[in-house]
Every structure is written in structure tokens, then in C-alpha cells.
Amino acid sequence: GRACLEKHIHGNLSAIAFTGLGQYFLSSVNTTQAGGAATWCGRTACEDCVPPEGSVAVLDESGLAQYGVRPGYERLGSAAFFARDRSVLGVWIETEKRMVLPPAIDKPAAGAVADWQYAQWHVKVSLFSGAFSVRHLVYLHWLISNSLVQGMRGHLQPGHPVRRLIWPFTYKTIAINDA
């Protein structure tokens, strides 16, 4: 449908966040805390990050800003804030400690459209890099699958029913993780 076209062809940030990979990482924004500070589950954005008015959801990958990159590459780490209608209200770029808001539709300021496109690109790259490198490679391959294989091989006999049940899920795990 339309959401699929927007997500995969046009790279629409809202479509990615609500119907794509981002839906796994979305959190609700809670602004009812004492002192007015906004919170959300898994917050990695610094205290300077104040969600735009009307924010109800956030896609926060700001924690990636702590990791260095090779010279010539940009550091990752940003958070996108969404309204109830799923529109993007703003993007926090952690490394620059600034909130980028959508440009005015009727008369955008010079450079505002390019800045907004850059901010959305920053969120998409942070989302996909964080999902692949941290969650997929580290958690799935190195921690979970290695632990499962070591436990299965170290504590269950080859004919054990649980080992036979787990085997299809760990097939070639050692070879893949060794690559």
C-alpha cells in the first residue's frame, strides 16, 4: 500500500517509524513529570533535549553519539519526535545538541529545507546503524546465539530432546559468527 511505498521508496521517516523498523524502538513521551522534564522509556538523549510541544512518541537513538567514528564520517545519534497524527515534530541531533524543527510550509527560511532533510537523514542512519550494529550483531550474534550454542553443546547430549529442538535455530551459528 501507500505506507509501504512511502517507507521503502521515498524513505518517509514517519512511515519508517510507525510501519517499519522504527516501530520496535518507539517510546511514548511522558511530560507529566515534576519540574516539566520529559521522560521516555530508554531515554539516551541528554537533559538539554526538550521535546517539541505536542510530542507523544519518540524514536531515540541518541546514545549512538558516544561512539567515535573514523575521520571523514559523521557521528551518529539523534531522536525524532512525533505528534499524535504521526507527523514529525522535530529531530534532536545529539552531537550538535540542537533541535531541528520542520521548515515553515509557506515561507521556509534559507537553508531550512536542507537542514530538515539532513536531520531526517541523520535519524534514519542512526536507526538502521543502531539496529544492525548494536542490536543485531552484538546482542543477537555475539550474546544470544553464542550463549545458546555453548549451553546446548556444553550441557546437553546430542540425542537430548531439547538439544534436538534448539538445533534448527542454531544451525551454522558458529560459522556465521566466526566470519
Side-chain angles (χ1 to χ4, degrees):
R2 179 171 166 70
C4 189
L5 178 70
E6 289 293 314
K7 175 175 54 182
H8 297 294
I9 305 299
H10 303 300
N12 180 294
L13 181 56
S14 183
I16 291 169
F18 288 95
T19 64
L21 177 65
Q23 63 187 324
Y24 181 75
F25 305 106
L26 275 175
S27 295
S28 61
V29 176
N30 182 2
T31 56
T32 59
Q33 297 293 317
T39 61
W40 53 87
C41 182
R43 179 176 177 148
T44 58
C46 71
E47 295 297 320
D48 295 338
C49 176
V50 177
E53 187 70 31
S55 296
V56 297
V58 62
L59 186 58
D60 187 3
E61 289 292 328
S62 299
L64 295 175
Q66 68 182 321
Y67 302 112
V69 295
R70 290 184 279 176
Y73 289 89
E74 291 204 31
R75 291 180 67 176
L76 302 171
S78 51
F81 294 91
F82 301 91
R84 191 167 305 284
D85 67 356
R86 298 182 176 184
S87 62
V88 186
L89 294 175
V91 171
W92 172 258
I93 301 177
E94 185 71 22
T95 55
E96 299 174 16
K97 303 285 188 247
R98 71 181 178 111
M99 181 69 70
V100 180
L101 301 174
I105 294 172
D106 54 345
K107 250 199 287 188
V113 173
D115 198 32
W116 179 242
Q117 289 173 338
Y118 165 78
Q120 291 184 87
W121 170 84
H122 203 274
V123 171
K124 292 177 216 174
V125 172
S126 295
L127 169 66
F128 285 98
S129 296
F132 177 72
S133 61
V134 177
R135 291 167 188 95
H136 180 81
L137 293 178
V138 174
Y139 294 141
L140 180 64
H141 284 281
W142 295 342
L143 297 177
I144 296 171
S145 67
N146 277 342
S147 299
L148 189 59
V149 169
Q150 287 178 351
M152 179 182 77
R153 287 185 162 195
H155 300 286
L156 300 174
Q157 296 297 319
H160 194 282
V162 174
R163 182 170 174 166
R164 289 184 18 224
L165 175 71
I166 295 172
W167 182 82
F169 302 103
T170 61
Y171 180 70
K172 295 217 179 208
T173 296
I174 296 170
I176 292 169
N177 290 348
D178 197 32

